[in-house]
Amino acid sequence: MTDQTPNGAAPAASAALVLEDGTIYRGSAYGATGRALGEAVFATGMTGYQETLTDPSYAGQIVVQTSPHIGITGVTSEDDESARMWPSGYVVRAASRITSNWRAEEPLGAQLTRDGVVGIAGVDTRAITRRLRDAGAMRAGVFSGDALTDDAAMLAVVRESPQMAGRSLAATVSTKEPYTLPAEGESIGTLAVLDLGIKASTLKYLQQQGFDLVVLPQDATLEQVLAHEPVAAFYSNGPGDPAASGSQVELLQGLLRAELPFFGICFGNQLLGRALGFGTYKLPFGHRGINQPVLDVATGRVEITSQNHGFAVDAAIGEQLESPAGFGRVEVSHYSLNDSVVEGLRALDIPAFSVQYHPESAAGPNDAHHMFEEFRQLVLAKKEAN
């Protein structure tokens, strides 16, 4: 077993990754020790591990990094997407024994430990990824320290843990109290932001578009939202099953009936789909990474995007649809070139659109950053029409 500890340190304790199909991978403890349970998923980005770890959308998941060497640039608070790291567990091939970056404030392992993320290093992440691609994302556990027991006992714990399907996790990651952030430059009005696990870069880019932000908890009511007299509404990314988010769907339908311009990202795209009356379903292994190709139907342009989702909207591509919930005509605006999964929706009779990917591009390419400007223009057009 490879020593994944800093130079001169004692060898790391043993650890095991246990998949619910009974497969077990053995390696060294990395970060916090103990037990982590969640859905095992793989992320294909070759950079941006800190942005991945601090993305609240990864709550309840055990993240397997396909990039083989993790941690060389350490961590710096400037790059955090939230106040802490969110995955239940973390799986890497080779954890860097040194930190080599002038911006680094501490090693990655130190923040993993402080935030209670139970990790494992020294395992074949290529083999794990191939298994997850073949069998689909599945429940798993990382065990180290006193939690590392016999194989049968660990497997039983994994198989008794909850499935991701049917789980509502927004309350875990959302702000508990409303807060405000000022627009950068001239304000075009107040934007009501429903925090379902929002990233710091998303807030920053919305501010740069001239919005005064009021960021609201995931359980905000329609009356509470409208009390802020917003010019528009926004739903963020976040973890969990959109089918278990009935209250947020009901709120969004109220906002659409109030004719507020709406923009949703990732989880917000799935909830717009449900608010419009379409279904959602669980993907076999999801899309996670900063290298996902998406086709913009209107322009024919291919954008390389940052993504992290395990569910998708069930809507037909290439035809004009009628909203089953009575909101008029709808079209699929974007779809994945890897597997034709819906990557965006646009309502044609009300001012609402959404994308499944992360146009804030943290970390990742900025091909889709123009979506924030499109939202600004939608809001300005609505204000001018009134």
Side-chain angles (χ1 to χ4, degrees):
M1 185 180 300
T2 303
D3 178 5
Q4 301 293 334
T5 59
N7 289 336
S14 296
L17 170 67
V18 181
L19 303 183
E20 71 172 294
D21 67 357
T23 308
I24 298 178
Y25 302 88
R26 305 184 194 280
S28 303
Y30 181 45
T33 57
R35 183 182 77 182
L37 299 172
E39 181 182 54
V41 301
F42 58 88
T44 57
M46 294 185 68
T47 62
Y49 60 77
Q50 184 177 344
E51 290 87 346
T52 293
L53 285 161
T54 55
D55 179 351
S57 301
Y58 281 105
Q61 297 177 328
I62 294 174
V63 177
V64 180
Q65 294 277 188
T66 61
S67 184
H69 194 206
I70 298 295
I72 185 63
T73 55
V75 293
T76 176
S77 56
E78 185 179 343
D79 294 340
D80 283 343
E81 287 298 320
S82 66
R84 54 162 290 187
M85 292 179 170
W86 287 100
S88 300
Y90 197 48
V91 183
V92 303
R93 172 64 186 93
S96 179
R97 293 189 292 269
I98 62 171
T99 296
S100 180
N101 179 10
W102 66 271
R103 297 176 65 242
E105 297 170 2
E106 63 179 338
L108 173 58
Q111 189 172 351
L112 290 169
T113 301
R114 186 173 64 254
D115 288 349
V117 180
V118 179
I120 181 173
V123 292
D124 188 344
T125 53
R126 294 172 301 175
I128 298 168
T129 299
R130 289 175 66 90
R131 180 164 290 275
L132 295 176
R133 281 187 64 91
D134 291 343
M138 64 181 80
R139 291 172 295 175
V142 179
F143 300 85
S144 59
D146 294 340
L148 186 63
T149 59
D150 66 88
D151 295 354
M154 293 187 294
L155 180 58
V157 169
V158 169
R159 289 177 173 173
E160 290 168 2
S161 63
Q163 300 272 5
M164 182 59 72
R167 294 186 71 184
S168 176
L169 294 171
T172 304
V173 298
S174 178
T175 181
K176 304 305 179 188
E177 299 292 337
Y179 62 93
T180 60
L181 296 169
E184 295 186 13
E186 183 179 354
S187 172
I188 63 172
T190 297
L191 175 64
V193 176
L194 195 70
D195 178 7
L196 303 168
I198 199 163
K199 298 165 71 173
S201 54
T202 302
L203 296 171
K204 178 182 70 175
Y205 290 132
L206 290 170
Q207 290 175 274
Q208 289 178 353
Q209 294 300 325
F211 292 109
D212 290 310
L213 307 183
V214 55
V215 185
L216 300 166
Q218 54 85 33
D219 58 355
T221 65
L222 180 61
E223 292 74 19
Q224 290 170 336
V225 175
L226 296 180
H228 295 280
E229 300 183 352
V231 296
F234 174 85
Y235 271 25
S236 78
N237 59 292
D241 185 346
S245 301
S247 62
Q248 289 89 7
V249 171
E250 183 178 351
L251 169 62
L252 180 49
Q253 289 177 330
L255 296 172
L256 297 178
R257 293 189 185 101
E259 300 183 348
L260 281 179
F262 173 81
F263 178 29
I265 287 177
C266 196
F267 199 54
N269 174 71
Q270 297 162 19
L271 295 184
L272 176 61
R274 295 193 70 86
L276 294 173
F278 301 106
T280 51
Y281 62 98
K282 195 173 190 305
L283 295 167
F285 44 80
H287 301 156
R288 296 175 180 89
I290 57 177
N291 48 9
Q292 306 285 334
V294 167
L295 179 70
D296 183 332
V297 174
T299 65
R301 182 171 181 246
V302 177
E303 297 177 344
I304 304 302
T305 66
S306 173
Q307 300 194 15
N308 169 27
H309 62 103
F311 294 85
V313 176
D314 187 5
I317 296 171
E319 58 186 85
Q320 197 171 98
L321 309 170
E322 192 70 27
S323 162
F327 290 103
R329 297 167 300 154
V330 182
E331 65 181 7
V332 173
S333 58
H334 302 75
Y335 65 88
S336 169
L337 291 178
N338 284 335
D339 52 13
S340 297
V341 165
V342 172
E343 295 281 0
L345 297 169
R346 187 176 299 275
L348 303 179
D349 297 317
I350 58 173
F353 72 99
S354 59
V355 291
Q356 184 60 63
Y357 46 87
H358 290 230
E360 78 286 344
S361 58
N366 59 11
D367 293 18
H369 187 255
H370 61 88
M371 303 304 297
F372 291 101
E373 172 63 23
E374 289 188 22
F375 184 43
R376 172 188 168 89
Q377 294 304 320
L378 180 69
V379 174
L380 290 175
K382 182 68 164 57
K383 291 178 68 175
E384 185 176 337
N386 291 340

